[in-house]
């Protein structure tokens, strides 16, 4: 089985994000960038499936500027076999990302696609679902457990009322939640080894996909500052304060 994993280069989750003075977006110049954390979980899951003998090849794919090769190399160092960058300098909205990934999935004849449940920059939570629709494949989102066998994937996902278990026929698109696994730590020898693993660059224009953005960002604003809290001396005082505010 060949697994394809999507990796988005995003602002590192430890960075305090600042909105640009003109409200046109957030500052990215000189800011630490990393792989979307949910995508690292997807890579880890693919590697575990390979270690279990379920998968034979893991291809990691990123869409964006040349710098995204850094995140692809990290995934190769974790244990992915091959990387592919669809190179474009333009902003990539979820629908376009899904169209590009669909084209790559068809080229690669992947049997399973693992994506993060959402990217922590736009928090859109749309690409996996749109990709499944474009491919006309089954989908299971927010996976906190994935078992693969007999041409099916059994996925446990968190829903409001508890846990839901789905069984989907492969090929399928699965998106990963935080509780699925803990990505492995990359050791120096693996980073060195990853340098010689194949990383192919495909120009976006080569894919022949029309880019018609469906979303327009009108303005980006920083959230209102948090109000100062109060310190309470006892549980009784806390309960009283909550009741006073109509919260209990
Ligand atoms: C990649 C990523 C994905 C995530 N996905 C999810 C997700 O799917 N679901 C989810 O629920 N969370 C998720 N989280 C975590 C969630 O985003 C954070 O836990 C949450 O945003 C923290 O909010 P905060 O601003 O209150 O944080 P902080 O201010 O850092 O507060 C953390 C906690 O400290 C305590 N605290 C802080 N200030 C006070 C105070 N004045 N008095 C008493 N207690 C206080 C509270 O318990 C508070 O929740 C994710 C985080 C990351 C990095």
């Amino acid at each position: 089985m060949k697994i394809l994993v999507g990796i988005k280069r995003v602002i590192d989750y430890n960075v305090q994000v600042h909105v640009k003075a003109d409200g046109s977006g957030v500052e990215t110049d000189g800011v630490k960038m990393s792989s979307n954390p949910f995508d690292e979980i997807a890579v880890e899951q693919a590697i575990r499936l390979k270690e279990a003998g379920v998968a034979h090849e893991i291809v990691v794919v990123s869409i964006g500027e040349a710098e995204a090769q850094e995140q692809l190399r990290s995934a190769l160092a974790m244990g992915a076999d091959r990387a592919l960058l669809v190179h474009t300098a333009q902003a990539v909205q979820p629908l376009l990302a899904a169209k590009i990934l669909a084209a790559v999935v068809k080229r690669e004849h992947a049997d399973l696609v693992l994506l993060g449940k959402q990217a922590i920059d736009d928090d859109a939570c749309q690409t996996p679902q749109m990709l499944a629709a474009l491919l006309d494949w089954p989908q299971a989102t927010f996976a906190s457990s994935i078992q693969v066998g007999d041409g099916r994937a059994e996925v446990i996902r968190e829903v409001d009322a508890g846990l839901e278990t789905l069984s989907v026929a492969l090929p399928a698109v699965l998106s990963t939640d935080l509780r699925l696994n803990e990505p492995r730590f990359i050791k120096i020898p693996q980073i060195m080894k990853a340098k010689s693993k194949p990383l192919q660059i495909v120009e976006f224009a080569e894919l022949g996909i029309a880019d018609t953005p469906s979303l327009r960002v009108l303005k980006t604003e920083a959230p209102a500052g948090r109000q100062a809290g109060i310190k309470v001396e006892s549980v009784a005082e806390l309960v009283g304060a909550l009741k006073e505010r109509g919260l209990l």
Side-chain angles (χ1 to χ4, degrees):
M1 173 192 293
K2 185 192 276 196
I3 304 181
L4 194 138
V5 184
I7 297 181
K8 187 174 187 184
R9 177 180 164 91
V10 296
I11 294 181
D12 187 271
Y13 73 93
N14 287 309
V15 169
Q16 177 73 47
V17 175
H18 294 289
V19 174
K20 286 183 184 168
D22 65 359
S24 63
V26 297
E27 293 288 357
T28 51
D29 285 353
V31 171
K32 183 175 182 320
M33 305 293 282
S34 297
S35 302
N36 182 41
F38 295 106
D39 300 351
E40 283 181 343
I41 291 169
V43 175
E44 174 65 35
Q45 195 61 29
I47 296 167
R48 290 185 189 190
L49 288 170
K50 191 175 172 194
E51 288 170 344
V54 175
H56 74 271
E57 189 180 22
I58 302 165
V59 183
V60 286
V61 182
S62 193
I63 305 163
E65 306 222 43
E67 290 82 355
Q69 290 176 75
E70 198 187 318
Q71 280 61 50
L72 290 172
R73 287 278 173 217
S74 294
L76 293 172
M78 278 178 77
D81 299 293
R82 211 151 53 73
L84 193 151
L85 172 68
V86 178
H87 180 240
T88 174
Q90 69 195 61
V92 179
Q93 295 182 356
L95 181 56
L96 180 59
K99 285 181 181 175
I100 293 171
L101 288 171
V104 175
V105 167
K106 285 177 188 161
R107 274 187 174 202
E108 291 284 343
H109 303 289
D111 305 291
L112 175 64
V113 179
L114 294 176
L115 302 177
K117 72 165 183 169
Q118 68 196 87
I120 62 166
D121 52 1
D122 59 14
D123 265 338
C125 193
Q126 295 173 3
T127 306
Q129 295 87 332
M130 286 175 169
L131 175 63
L134 290 171
L135 292 169
D136 199 19
W137 285 7
Q139 59 170 297
T141 53
F142 317 141
S144 56
S145 162
I146 297 174
Q147 303 288 330
V148 179
D150 296 329
R152 301 190 76 83
E154 190 164 288
V155 174
I156 299 177
R157 59 196 300 274
E158 287 179 18
V159 290
D160 284 349
L163 297 176
E164 183 179 62
T165 305
L166 298 178
S167 173
V168 293
L170 299 180
V173 178
L174 310 183
S175 79
T176 57
D177 204 347
L178 277 189
R179 274 166 280 279
L180 180 59
N181 62 47
E182 195 165 318
R184 65 195 60 197
F185 184 73
I186 305 171
K187 298 188 183 119
I188 301 283
Q190 292 168 298
I191 296 173
M192 302 312 287
K193 201 173 154 201
K195 287 186 179 169
S196 56
K197 288 188 179 178
L199 193 161
Q200 186 191 358
I201 299 181
V202 175
E203 288 302 323
F204 166 63
E206 279 176 43
L207 297 176
I209 297 169
D211 174 31
T212 44
S214 45
L215 304 173
R216 191 156 54 93
V217 177
L218 300 180
K219 195 176 172 198
T220 306
E221 284 177 89
R226 189 184 291 193
Q227 287 185 348
I230 57 161
K231 278 193 178 171
V232 290
E233 300 293 336
S234 66
V235 172
E237 200 185 329
L238 172 64
V239 171
L242 290 172
K243 278 188 177 161
E244 211 174 275
R245 288 162 178 75
L247 299 170
L248 267 186

